Amino acid sequence: MSEPRSSWPLYEVFVRGKRGLNHVHVGSLHAPDDEMALRNARDLYTRRNEGVSIWVVPAAAITASSPDEKDPFFAPSGDKVYRHPTFYAIPEDVPHL
Amino acid sequence: MDEELQREFDRVVAAEQRIEPRDWMPEGYRRTLIRQIAQHAHSEIIGMQPEGNWITRAPSLRRKAILLAKVQDEAGHGLYLYAATETLGADREDLTQKLINGRQKYSSIFNYPTLSFADVGVIGWLVDGAAICNQVPLCRTSYGPYARAMIRVCKEESFHQRQGYELLMTMMRGTEAQRRQVQDAVDRWWWPSLMMFGPPDDASSNTEQSMAWRIKRHTNDELRQKFVDMSVPQADKLGVTLPDPELRWNAERGHHDFGTPDWDEFWRVVKGDGPCNAQRVAHRRKSHDDGAWVREAATAHAAKRAAKESAA
């Protein structure tokens, strides 16, 4: 009896839509190894010229922030309005600013 | 604590934001989604069979290439959706086992046979057309990975529907026998297509909760009405008759009135007694079993390479 297919590791797939854009997460798939993951990703996620470059990453290799600590984790950026250009009042007749 | 999490979940859903995989969600929401998305994935996978039936007998290389691309898309749609179920903690192999053991369902439409090449066109036009009606609102469903999968699916379904309608237009310009084939296929697929939206609202047990969770955005009857209204002018243009003597425009409602599908037949097919239920599942089981050696070989190859690399 063969191993169930789910014993193939899960890969997350990222595709660069065209030159000049970031790779964007498009979904996931299972594959026995990195090379098959890449080929399967091509067949599954770029059947209509959706990409010029693909990354596959073992899902187990991704470290993610936890949703439970969402508020405290992002709190440091929450109270720093002075990081935004709109924080600064500039007279309207000052050009190019 | 749970109350607080529930409140946050309700707030996100009510604000038309998306629930994402690692968010807290009610168990019922998770279960409903796994059931619905898996059933949807199974439908795509089983849906390869009725049309796959015609790949080797397509009348031209052009039609064969189109049909191959379409059936490959169905496989892709199934995989996008299985991937979405996995973000909820489901196991793909387990879902496949449930499908081939008959413990999970797929859309009953695929339990009808494809008797002529015109069926390929009518499936594209009506079956994929009905699927689009169902699926477009799902692009805004509350669960993020499901909504994103549906956006990809909907983009591709548009090709499916248009190739079907074009195929039928071509046949309608052909011989009298070809026109009869098209009408015959429309006669057989019209009512099952209407049944694709599920039972009437008063008999649909899951609708209310799914609407509250914003998994579902419209009721079965609303979507069915929309589909009928869309299909009537398309049928006119094609030159076929939809097999419903009660079908007529109702100016007061601004919609078409139409007859009642045979819900006894619907429930019979759902419960397993359709023309092709046994054949579809048996074929899926066989192809899964026949592919076992490929899965084993790929796993063995990966293990061998990994061993070589760690030795080097």
Side-chain angles (χ1 to χ4, degrees):
Chain A
M1 191 58 203
S2 63
E3 293 260 286
R5 185 160 39 169
S6 300
S7 66
W8 287 359
L10 183 69
Y11 286 82
E12 299 296 337
V13 181
F14 301 77
V15 171
R16 184 198 295 285
K18 58 181 183 187
R19 290 177 177 279
L21 298 182
N22 289 317
H23 284 77
V24 174
H25 182 244
V26 291
S28 67
L29 51 77
H30 288 274
D33 58 30
D34 297 354
E35 195 188 327
M36 285 304 294
L38 206 49
R39 285 173 180 274
N40 290 348
R42 177 201 58 189
D43 291 346
L44 186 54
Y45 291 107
T46 61
R47 286 195 301 283
R48 289 180 175 77
N49 304 319
E50 289 96 334
V52 295
S53 163
I54 301 176
W55 291 345
V56 290
V57 182
I62 292 176
T63 307
S65 62
S66 155
D68 303 336
E69 61 186 13
K70 182 176 62 183
D71 293 338
F73 190 72
F74 294 104
S77 78
D79 58 354
K80 296 181 179 59
V81 285
Y82 48 85
R83 288 187 172 179
H84 297 275
T86 46
F87 179 72
Y88 303 93
I90 307 283
E92 286 203 8
D93 52 0
V94 178
H96 310 304
L97 198 72
Chain B
M1 184 61 187
D2 262 17
E3 269 172 43
E4 203 177 300
L5 291 166
Q6 176 78 52
R7 263 202 305 278
E8 172 64 8
F9 172 87
D10 292 341
R11 187 194 65 75
V12 170
V13 169
E16 290 289 330
Q17 291 180 331
R18 300 286 176 261
I19 301 297
E20 294 294 344
R22 303 182 68 201
D23 292 340
W24 181 91
M25 60 188 85
E27 260 323 293
Y29 179 82
R30 185 185 299 275
R31 264 200 319 276
T32 301
L33 275 171
I34 292 179
R35 183 181 51 78
Q36 179 174 334
I37 304 174
Q39 186 167 324
H40 194 161
H42 296 331
S43 301
E44 300 281 358
I45 296 296
I46 294 289
M48 295 162 76
Q49 292 184 38
E51 292 180 286
N53 182 35
W54 284 93
I55 290 176
T56 56
R57 285 173 286 163
S60 68
L61 189 55
R62 178 176 182 270
R63 293 293 170 193
K64 183 186 265 195
I66 292 170
L67 196 49
L68 265 173
K70 180 170 190 287
V71 171
Q72 195 189 10
D73 275 351
E74 311 292 1
H77 297 176
L79 295 180
Y80 304 154
L81 290 161
Y82 284 130
T85 63
E86 288 188 304
T87 65
L88 292 158
D91 178 87
R92 202 175 296 212
E93 178 61 24
D94 174 54
L95 297 179
T96 298
Q97 288 303 330
K98 283 183 173 140
L99 170 63
I100 64 186
N101 294 331
R103 282 183 297 140
Q104 276 184 342
K105 297 201 185 310
Y106 53 89
S107 176
S108 278
I109 193 78
F110 302 116
N111 290 318
Y112 292 87
T114 43
L115 302 182
S116 82
F117 195 69
D119 290 40
V120 171
V122 171
I123 287 178
W125 172 38
L126 293 179
V127 175
D128 293 327
I132 291 172
C133 275
N134 263 329
Q135 289 170 359
V136 165
L138 289 175
C139 296
R140 294 183 297 119
T141 195
S142 60
Y143 186 59
Y146 190 26
R148 293 192 287 274
M150 291 320 301
I151 290 171
R152 301 185 69 86
V153 169
C154 284
K155 276 187 194 161
E156 299 178 357
E157 288 290 349
S158 169
F159 142 62
H160 296 181
Q161 196 187 19
R162 290 173 66 106
Q163 67 81 34
Y165 195 79
E166 188 231 37
L167 188 163
L168 296 175
M169 287 198 313
T170 307
M171 286 187 80
M172 291 301 283
R173 285 195 299 268
T175 64
E176 188 50 42
Q178 285 176 310
R179 278 189 286 278
R180 269 203 308 273
Q181 271 189 341
V182 173
Q183 183 62 56
D184 170 62
V186 170
D187 290 346
R188 284 182 288 108
W189 288 95
W190 173 250
W191 291 108
S193 298
L194 290 191
M195 295 176 197
M196 283 177 70
F197 297 95
D201 292 347
D202 51 22
S204 173
S205 50
N206 301 319
T207 293
E208 199 179 336
Q209 179 63 73
S210 286
M211 301 263 293
W213 277 329
R214 307 209 184 179
I215 295 174
K216 212 170 156 165
R217 316 292 315 222
H218 303 283
T219 71
N220 297 350
D221 287 332
E222 284 167 9
L223 292 166
R224 195 169 3 253
Q225 178 72 60
K226 186 163 186 269
F227 175 70
V228 171
D229 290 339
M230 276 170 43
S231 301
V232 169
Q234 293 169 349
D236 282 348
K237 197 84 191 146
L238 197 58
V240 295
T241 309
L242 297 173
D244 178 358
E246 295 175 49
L247 183 65
R248 65 180 56 82
W249 176 250
N250 181 329
E252 217 165 281
R253 290 202 309 127
H255 292 291
H256 293 85
D257 292 337
F258 57 99
T260 307
D262 180 350
W263 293 116
D264 291 340
E265 172 184 321
F266 172 79
W267 290 114
R268 266 200 315 278
V269 181
V270 166
K271 290 186 174 126
D273 198 16
C276 301
N277 296 54
Q279 179 192 337
R280 299 291 187 234
V281 171
H283 187 79
R284 178 70 190 94
R285 186 183 301 120
K286 180 175 184 308
S287 62
H288 188 67
D289 292 347
D290 288 352
W293 73 270
V294 179
R295 296 191 292 276
E296 276 167 39
T299 305
H301 178 70
K304 202 165 111 186
R305 285 222 328 207
K308 228 186 239 172
E309 267 166 36
S310 68

